[in-house]
Amino acid sequence: MLDRHVVPVAKNGRMNLPSALRAKLDLESGGKVVFVEKDDGEVEVTTLRRSLKRAQDLVRQYIPADVNLVDEVIADRRAEAQHELEDEASYSDRNGSIQE
């Protein structure tokens, strides 16, 4: 059975999240809450930590566990930067340097 909580909204838009929900979400003081609007108009409430974990799990379905995406992106960017430097040097060699 789903628990339902009715929470009043103040004029300024503030709401107090019931302690039972905070406990279920393992939400500590200063934690972040994420409201996810679903296609059917329903709103899901979760924590930022859980939302990030869900996103990581979704990405991990398509990336092997032994692959480090950060290292790959950094290596790709360094290779691109090296190619850019080589292209600039090649252009300067062909066209001479510009004097001010």
Side-chain angles (χ1 to χ4, degrees):
M1 177 167 189
L2 296 176
D3 291 335
R4 296 191 184 274
H5 302 272
V6 177
V7 179
V9 179
K11 288 181 183 180
N12 64 1
R14 289 184 180 220
M15 298 180 276
N16 287 322
L17 200 59
S19 61
L21 286 178
R22 291 194 309 270
K24 280 185 180 181
L25 293 171
D26 193 27
L27 188 62
E28 300 171 1
S29 178
K32 303 282 185 184
V33 177
V34 177
F35 294 90
V36 181
E37 186 177 351
K38 302 292 189 167
D39 290 335
D40 62 1
E42 294 284 321
V43 176
E44 174 185 313
V45 180
T46 189
T47 63
L48 183 58
R49 180 177 53 237
R50 287 181 180 194
S51 186
L52 290 173
K53 175 79 170 99
R54 183 182 301 156
Q56 290 169 338
D57 290 345
L58 285 171
V59 169
R60 190 49 66 190
Q61 290 177 6
Y62 303 101
I63 308 299
D66 61 338
V67 173
N68 185 327
L69 288 179
V70 172
D71 289 344
E72 286 192 12
V73 169
I74 290 171
D76 287 348
R77 183 58 196 119
R78 286 182 176 152
E80 289 174 18
Q82 184 62 38
H83 289 305
E84 289 172 6
L85 288 172
E86 291 168 359
D87 288 347
E88 287 175 10
S90 175
Y91 179 82
S92 294
D93 289 345
R94 285 186 310 228
N95 298 307
S97 60
I98 299 173
Q99 300 293 325
E100 291 188 28

